[in-house]
């Protein structure tokens, strides 16, 4: 099996020597894991992870120091120390890794490996969201300092002829071949590690080193296309760093750490990412809407947060799922805004994109509400992007700002826009379950 360079087309996933925690050197594997860096948004959440174990992975993915340069140097120093102390150690031989997440009836399995990088124009790995340059630069600086892929991206592809009826309960129906067959066979073996994190998810990891199984995966993926489900900024970071390194397509920087999931077998969940508008109180947001009569319908959503979110879902799914609706919070109440004026949308939403893009809630939010009515720049000092519904409402109420809650986009809309090479507004979707960070890392110094 040739592993010397990226494939010219299709997905090329190669083995690597996984860098993993040594169980005897940490309190527990669960205590050293973390959600992805962009999900850890609250200071109390960061402190909770740091205090869970002195070796929690958050000290590498979100180091704390006075300046960005100091943070990156600190992460690199911490990683070197952990390697020297035997807290982290590389596996003996290169492998692909089968990874399983399970919670109740929800089961997700995929394969972790080093994926050959490609640009969107090559049509092999499809992004569906724009990225923020400042985040890409920060992640690139961190990766330069540590020379390590600290957490895998989540990518999806779809195999053919596999029943999904049993995916959520983990039984096998229909015929599986290729990568999916290797994943299912491997999951019946004794895992390298098994742990349960405090969110209730159990995690298991296996290595795949058999040449025949590696070849089966290679052959299966050779003509497949993947969608970036989670990790657009890290993928953009991979591409930037690849271009910086002189070995180019032949070197370790030409590959990036990913988890690849077959959604024909294990469909992902799609959730929304909400906005926190730091400098806009709810009263001012509502006043600006009233200053443009007929721009949106505005009404109070009574009840608890779950009841208000349900009201948002009902408004967003009206008209065969094409209605635009948003929920504002931060003043102790919930305000539902929907039914935008078609003439207003025609004036404010760019007309040079497909109708599916123009109808997205995120498009209307940024083009019509943020740019036109509220006049808020899309910059970190003005807007934060928060996955958790309760967290964004809590922060808005604590700081007198406005939380804007969105309804999730349907996966088929995401995939269709990606196929058309049309990117959605940044932070439009949150696919999951996301892989836990800290179970397996990839050293770029290892070749």
């Amino acid at each position: 099996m040739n592993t010397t360079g990226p494939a010219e087309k299709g997905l090329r996933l190669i083995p690597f020597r996984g860098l993993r925690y040594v169980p005897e050197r940490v309190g527990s594997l669960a205590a050293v894991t973390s959600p992805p860096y962009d999900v850890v948004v609250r200071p109390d959440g960061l402190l909770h992870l740091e205090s869970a174990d002195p070796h929690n992975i958050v000290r590498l993915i979100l180091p704390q120091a006075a300046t960005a340069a100091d943070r990156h140097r600190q992460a690199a120093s911490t990683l070197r120390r952990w390697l020297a102390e035997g807290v982290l150690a590389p596996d003996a031989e290169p492998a692909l890794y089968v990874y399983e997440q399970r919670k109740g009836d929800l089961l997700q399995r995929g394969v972790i490996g080093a994926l050959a990088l490609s640009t969107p124009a090559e049509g092999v790995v499809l992004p569906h969201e724009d990225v923020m340059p400042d985040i890409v630069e920060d992640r690139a600086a961190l990766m330069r300092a540590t020379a390590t892929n600290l957490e895998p991206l989540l990518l999806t592809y779809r195999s053919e002829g596999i029943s999904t009826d049993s995916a959520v309960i983990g039984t096998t129906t229909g015929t599986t071949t290729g990568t999916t067959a290797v994943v299912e066979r491997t999951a019946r073996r004794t895992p390298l590690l098994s742990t349960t994190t405090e969110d209730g998810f159990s995690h298991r990891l296996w290595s795949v080193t058999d040449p025949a199984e590696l070849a089966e995966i290679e052959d299966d993926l050779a003509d497949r296309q993947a969608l970036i489900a989670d990790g657009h900024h890290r993928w953009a970071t991979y591409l930037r760093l690849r271009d910086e390194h002189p070995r180019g397509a032949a070197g370790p920087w030409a590959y990036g750490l990913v988890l690849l999931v077959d959604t024909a077998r294990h469909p992902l969940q799609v959730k929304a990412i909400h906005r926190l508008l730091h400098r806009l109180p709810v009263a001012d947001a509502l006043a600006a809407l009233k200053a443009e009569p007929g721009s949106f319908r505005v009404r109070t959503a009574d009840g608890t947060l779950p009841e208000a979110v349900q009201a948002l879902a009902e408004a967003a799914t009206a008209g065969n799922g094409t209605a635009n609706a948003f929920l504002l919070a931060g003043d102790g109440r919930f305000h539902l805004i929907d039914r935008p004026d078609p003439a207003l949308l025609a004036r404010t939403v760019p007309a040079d994109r497909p109708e599916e893009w123009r109808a997205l809630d995120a498009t209307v939010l940024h083009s019509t509400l943020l740019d036109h009515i509220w006049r808020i720049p899309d910059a970190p000092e003005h807007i934060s992007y928060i996955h958790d519904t309760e967290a964004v409402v809590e922060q808005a109420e604590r700081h007198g700002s406005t939380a804007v809650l969105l309804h999730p986009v349907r996966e088929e809309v995401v995939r269709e826009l990606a196929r058309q090479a049309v990117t959605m507004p940044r932070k439009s979707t949150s696919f999951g379950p996301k892989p836990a960070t800290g179970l397996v890392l990839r050293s770029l110094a290892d070749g």
Side-chain angles (χ1 to χ4, degrees):
M1 177 177 163
N2 177 19
T3 60
T4 59
E8 294 182 2
K9 62 178 182 178
L11 301 171
R12 180 161 174 76
L13 193 70
I14 68 168
F16 67 102
R17 296 175 68 209
L19 194 60
R20 298 190 294 112
Y21 280 100
V22 177
E24 295 78 14
R25 300 303 307 273
V26 298
S28 72
L29 289 175
V32 295
T33 63
S34 164
Y37 80 96
D38 57 341
V39 179
V40 184
V41 293
R42 294 184 293 183
D44 55 342
L46 181 62
L47 291 172
H48 173 72
L49 291 167
E50 288 182 329
S51 62
D53 188 285
H55 302 108
N56 189 284
I57 193 69
V58 77
R59 296 179 186 274
L60 299 183
I61 62 171
L62 288 173
Q64 299 300 295
T67 68
D70 287 343
R71 290 195 296 272
H72 304 143
R73 281 193 292 266
Q74 179 174 299
S77 175
T78 300
L79 178 58
R80 287 194 299 269
R81 185 174 72 253
W82 289 357
L83 289 168
E85 295 173 350
V87 174
L88 288 167
D91 285 334
E93 59 181 321
L96 296 179
Y97 297 86
V98 169
Y99 174 48
E100 175 190 282
Q101 296 163 274
R102 185 191 293 264
K103 183 178 183 180
D105 289 339
L106 175 62
L107 172 71
Q108 179 171 288
R109 288 180 183 144
V111 59
I112 294 174
L115 184 69
L117 304 180
S118 59
T119 63
E122 295 173 75
V124 177
V125 175
L126 304 178
H128 69 267
E129 289 183 354
D130 291 331
V131 297
M132 292 175 271
D134 59 309
I135 296 180
V136 174
E137 178 52 44
D138 180 73
R139 292 292 102 184
L142 178 63
M143 204 175 298
R144 288 188 200 100
T146 59
T148 302
N149 295 157
L150 298 171
E151 47 188 336
L153 283 68
L154 176 60
L155 271 61
T156 71
Y157 74 100
R158 290 189 66 81
S159 60
E160 297 84 21
I162 298 176
S163 169
T164 60
D165 294 340
S166 62
V168 293
I169 58 175
T171 60
T172 302
T173 63
T175 301
T176 62
T177 59
T179 305
T180 300
V182 174
V183 167
E184 298 301 328
R185 288 199 305 268
T186 304
R188 295 195 289 268
R189 303 168 187 164
T190 302
L192 289 175
L193 65 85
S194 178
T195 190
T196 299
T197 46
E198 65 180 5
D199 58 4
F201 273 94
S202 65
H203 307 263
R204 296 198 294 170
L205 191 75
W206 298 261
S207 64
V208 178
T209 58
D210 179 79
E213 291 189 321
L214 294 175
E216 188 174 355
I217 291 173
E218 181 179 41
D219 292 345
D220 176 55
L221 297 179
D223 60 353
R224 297 209 185 275
Q225 184 183 63
L227 175 73
I228 301 177
D230 185 70
H232 285 81
H233 289 88
R234 282 166 282 167
W235 185 259
T237 298
Y238 288 167
L239 292 174
R240 173 181 293 193
L241 295 177
R242 179 192 65 173
D243 293 343
E244 291 179 3
H245 286 77
R247 289 183 65 189
W253 296 87
Y255 298 81
L257 185 63
V258 306
L259 166 64
L260 192 60
V261 174
D262 175 9
T263 53
R265 167 63 71 181
H266 301 291
L268 269 64
Q269 299 175 328
V270 186
K271 297 182 180 180
I273 302 177
H274 311 298
R275 275 61 169 163
L276 179 66
L277 311 182
H278 296 293
R279 302 179 182 179
L280 182 70
V282 174
D284 292 352
L286 295 173
L289 287 166
K290 292 177 182 176
E292 291 210 26
S295 58
F296 284 82
R297 181 176 67 168
V298 182
R299 47 199 174 114
T300 301
D302 296 322
T304 63
L305 175 57
E307 291 170 334
V309 170
Q310 179 58 35
L312 170 64
E314 293 171 358
T317 54
N320 296 319
T322 60
N324 299 119
F326 311 92
L327 191 67
L328 308 187
D331 62 351
R333 294 177 294 175
F334 304 106
H335 309 273
L336 186 63
I337 61 174
D338 63 356
R339 297 186 183 179
D341 175 20
L344 175 63
L345 297 183
R347 292 198 313 272
T348 56
V349 175
D352 60 346
R353 302 288 184 90
E355 180 57 34
E356 298 95 332
W357 183 90
R358 301 182 78 247
L360 291 170
D361 285 339
T363 298
V364 172
L365 171 60
H366 283 262
S367 298
T368 305
L369 286 168
L370 294 176
D371 292 350
H372 177 73
I373 293 180
W374 294 330
R375 302 186 182 280
I376 295 178
D378 191 357
E381 62 269 26
H382 291 278
I383 305 175
S384 289
Y385 295 82
I386 298 179
H387 294 72
D388 185 80
T389 303
E390 293 182 1
V392 70
V393 172
E394 175 190 333
Q395 289 202 36
E397 292 180 345
R398 182 185 302 174
H399 300 292
S401 50
T402 295
V404 184
L405 278 61
L406 287 81
H407 186 68
V409 183
R410 291 174 291 125
E411 182 178 0
E412 57 266 31
V413 173
V414 177
R415 194 172 295 275
E416 179 54 34
L417 286 172
R419 287 197 182 105
Q420 298 178 51
V422 176
T423 53
M424 299 166 64
R426 60 191 67 172
K427 298 293 184 181
S428 293
T429 61
S430 176
F431 283 83
K434 304 177 189 301
T437 298
L439 295 180
V440 60
L441 291 64
R442 174 178 173 255
S443 172
L444 291 156
D446 196 38

